[in-house]
Amino acid sequence: MARPHNAIDRRALITGRLLNADQVVTPPGGEIASILVQARPERLASVETAIVALAGCEIYGRDPKGKLVVVVDAADAGALGSTLNTIALLPDVYTASLVFHAIEAS
C-alpha cells in the first residue's frame, strides 16, 4: 500500500520558513574555534596584545614569521563571527581564517 506523500515547498524549506521558532533549540554550552592569523612579523607583538584583550581569546601558538593560532571561546556563533571580524580588521593583520569550529556541550 502506498503512503500519502506530503509535498514540501522547496522555497519554504530553503528559506527556513518551514521551521517554527518554537522548534529551534539553542545548543547548550558555547562555541569554540581556532583562527589562524597572518600579520606583519615586525608588528606581531602588538597584534598579539590586541587579540588577547578581546573577550574569550587566547594565543595558542606563535610563529615569528607573523602567524598566530588563536583560540576563541564564545557564547554563540554570532559572537564568534563578530570576534573573527574584529581580529581580521585589526591594524597590521593580513588575514584571519577560521580553521576549526565546534559547539561545546555542557
Side-chain angles (χ1 to χ4, degrees), residues 4-68:
H5 178 31
N6 293 336
I8 295 177
D9 180 15
R10 184 171 179 263
R11 285 196 177 138
L13 178 66
I14 291 171
T15 59
R17 287 181 287 163
L18 283 181
L19 293 177
N20 182 349
D22 296 333
Q23 295 173 336
V24 177
V25 177
T26 306
E31 310 275 328
I32 189 165
S34 179
I35 299 171
L36 181 61
V37 177
Q38 178 71 48
R40 294 181 63 174
E42 65 274 10
R43 303 287 299 159
L44 196 57
S46 64
V47 171
E48 187 173 356
T49 301
I51 291 172
V52 171
L54 298 172
C57 292
E58 65 181 72
I59 305 298
Y60 185 78
R62 185 179 203 264
D63 180 352
K65 294 179 182 175
K67 293 181 184 169
L68 296 171

